[in-house]
Amino acid sequence: MTISVNGTEINESAIAAEMNRARSAGYPEGEELRDGAIQELILRRLMLEQAEKLGIAAESDEEIIGTLLQQEVNFNDIDEASCRDFYDNNPSSFTQGEMAAASHILFTAADGLSAGLVKAKAEGILADLQKNPAAFAAMAREHSACPSGKEGGALGQFGRGQMVPEFEQAVFTTEPGTITPELVETQFGYHIIQVTARKGGDLISFDEVKERLQAYLTDMEGRKATHAYLAGLVQAADIQGYQLPAFA
């Protein structure tokens, strides 16, 4: 069935071009590869159409989309009461002296590949590793964009505050000897994380973590607002031939 967005066809040649770029960067074959390409093309088309309606122009599509999201996605900074509520309900996330050891596989945009294709590749490898965790080190050597990939993804031992918040949250809430069930997204890209060891510590006071926690929760609020904005564009659009699973 033909895929179209508000009457504009997303043809097989466009999909194939996205998929070919992914293949050239080592993305695995499968449904995830094609789905990632289609989803990226649909969302990109919707954002560019909306930007055109609003009179947003720039030298590249990426700049146009960046300006659109900056202008249209609105959210409030998280207040202290919300931070306190999160702190009280997640004591394991605020433990001083707690240590962990973990390995990871990092996926980043490369060779002009879209975020959708990067995520599709990562999800495919995560699915494989959930079936065969013993292959983690080999997969890290083959696919990780982090220098640690040469060491099978091993990051060694680290404590609270040494990793970005999203990564840290995932590590310190995952049981040792297991792989995080979902991808972990940070400013660096998508991570598959295997926690190898953890030991406890003492609870950090709210005042010590308040500012960092507020920044983290505000960033999460921004991501939710972006998703909601894109969901609105999807719901208002006439999309034929494909249903975006994240916005169903």
Side-chain angles (χ1 to χ4, degrees):
M1 184 175 180
T2 300
I3 300 173
S4 65
V5 178
N6 295 329
T8 300
E9 181 182 353
I10 294 178
N11 57 39
E12 285 299 322
S13 63
I15 297 170
E18 289 286 335
M19 293 174 69
N20 282 335
R21 286 194 294 166
R23 289 190 189 98
S24 67
Y27 280 61
E29 293 288 345
E31 262 185 55
E32 293 89 355
L33 181 69
R34 180 178 173 80
D35 280 344
I38 293 171
Q39 291 167 30
E40 181 68 21
L41 289 168
I42 289 173
L43 292 174
R44 178 174 286 262
R45 171 49 45 196
L46 290 175
M47 287 188 284
L48 290 174
E49 286 183 357
Q50 186 65 15
E52 185 176 3
K53 290 177 185 176
L54 297 172
I56 296 172
E59 292 184 2
S60 68
D61 288 350
E62 287 71 22
E63 289 179 278
I64 291 171
I65 289 171
T67 301
L68 172 72
L69 294 177
Q70 185 176 27
Q71 177 177 308
E72 295 295 299
V73 176
N74 299 307
F75 61 96
N76 295 321
D77 287 350
I78 297 298
D79 60 21
E80 184 171 328
S82 297
C83 291
R84 184 78 207 201
D85 184 62
F86 185 91
Y87 173 87
D88 290 340
N89 285 290
N90 296 276
S92 64
S93 297
F94 306 100
T95 304
Q96 190 171 38
E98 189 175 11
M99 303 294 292
S103 299
H104 80 140
I105 305 173
L106 173 64
F107 302 86
T108 61
D111 301 324
L113 291 174
S114 68
L117 288 173
V118 171
K119 187 176 183 181
K121 176 182 179 180
E123 286 177 336
I125 292 174
L126 175 59
D128 290 340
L129 286 173
Q130 286 170 337
K131 297 174 187 174
N132 183 22
F136 194 97
M139 287 289 199
R141 292 187 186 96
E142 182 177 355
H143 297 288
S144 184
C146 178
S148 67
K150 295 178 182 178
E151 307 299 327
L155 296 170
Q157 183 172 278
F158 52 88
R160 293 280 187 179
Q162 292 182 258
M163 299 293 179
V164 293
E166 301 91 342
F167 192 96
E168 182 178 287
Q169 172 73 8
V171 168
F172 286 100
T173 55
T174 299
E175 289 299 315
T178 61
I179 295 172
T180 49
E182 298 178 348
L183 297 178
V184 176
E185 184 180 1
T186 72
Q187 67 199 66
F188 302 108
Y190 294 99
H191 307 255
I192 299 173
I193 304 171
Q194 184 178 55
V195 179
T196 53
R198 270 179 46 202
K199 65 178 182 178
D202 301 318
L203 189 66
I204 307 170
S205 72
F206 176 68
D207 286 341
E208 288 181 81
V209 299
K210 180 173 62 177
E211 289 186 9
R212 186 158 59 94
L213 177 58
Q214 184 176 32
Y216 167 71
L217 293 178
T218 298
D219 180 64
M220 291 300 99
E221 191 69 15
R223 295 188 187 197
K224 287 195 295 182
T226 299
H227 185 274
Y229 178 74
L230 293 175
L233 294 182
V234 170
Q235 290 165 9
D238 178 18
I239 300 171
Q240 299 294 326
Y242 189 87
Q243 184 177 45
L244 281 84
F247 302 100

